[in-house]
Amino acid sequence: MNISEGIAWGVEEGIGRIVLKRPERANALGLANGLALVRAIDEVLAQKPRVILLTGEGRVFCAGGAIDEFVAAGEALPELVSEMLDSLHPALLRLSNNPAPLVVAVNGAVGGAGVGLALCGDFVLAAESMKLRTGYAAIGLSPDAGASYFLARRVGPVRAQQLLMLSDAVDSQRCLAWGAVDELYADAELAAAAEALVTRLAHGASGSFAAIKTLCAGVPGRAFDEHLALEQKLLRERAGSADAREGVAAFVAKRAPRFTGR
């Protein structure tokens, strides 16, 4: 694993890993470790992993922005946030749009920009100790890092708006009930559950996963006829793949398929 500014990353056996490793500062994002996160995202994506796992260390997944840096910036705060987001936002877009499944293991409390990081996954697993507090409006700011986008996509725009305006803490059970997270695990079991999931996905048909992400991500703005045409196009492409031939052969032979991603 590479490590810089409290961010660790690497790819092994088709599994990309990005870890927030600054628990003594609640994994808060400042300028330096924000740039390290961008580097981590780009270097992991460059290796074309079959699945990506994003998680944190300690009792907090990510508290959001580094408030001490905000205070130190003083009147230059607008310039600081612009400098941070000019590189972070495009990197998060690349991470979210990447064809590989993205699993986020939310190891603890999450707030601010951490909400965007936590909820951007295709699969969001959370520890029972996890709680979510948006926090932006409580200090006179507005959302960043995709927090409003991913929160609205998961819990609905009206509830997301309320959570963002009130900044009340939401416990893990309500997050699960509202669809903000997909599964809850005892804190001591989260890491193993995340490993089991990424291992399963790493052995799956990565081309199928990519097609599924493309189809589902565009549903809100795509007419039904356009969607059917895209389904046909992607299915035709998949039908000519080695993984499709292997999958069909394995089904007929009643054995587990051995997908290669081709």
Side-chain angles (χ1 to χ4, degrees), residues 60-81:
V60 178
F61 172 77
C62 177
I67 299 298
D68 58 336
E69 294 189 30
F70 291 1
V71 172
E75 296 295 322
L77 181 57
E79 288 72 26
L80 173 64
V81 296

Side-chain angles (χ1 to χ4, degrees), residues 16 37 45 193 217 220 228:
L37 178 58
L45 295 184
L228 290 175

Side-chain angles (χ1 to χ4, degrees), residues 19 121 155:
V19 186
V155 307

Side-chain angles (χ1 to χ4, degrees), residues 237-252 255 257-260 262:
E237 292 173 0
R238 295 310 310 150
S241 70
D243 274 356
R245 291 191 292 274
E246 165 62 12
V248 171
F251 181 85
V252 172
R255 60 170 175 82
R258 295 182 290 272
F259 294 123
T260 63
R262 295 192 292 272

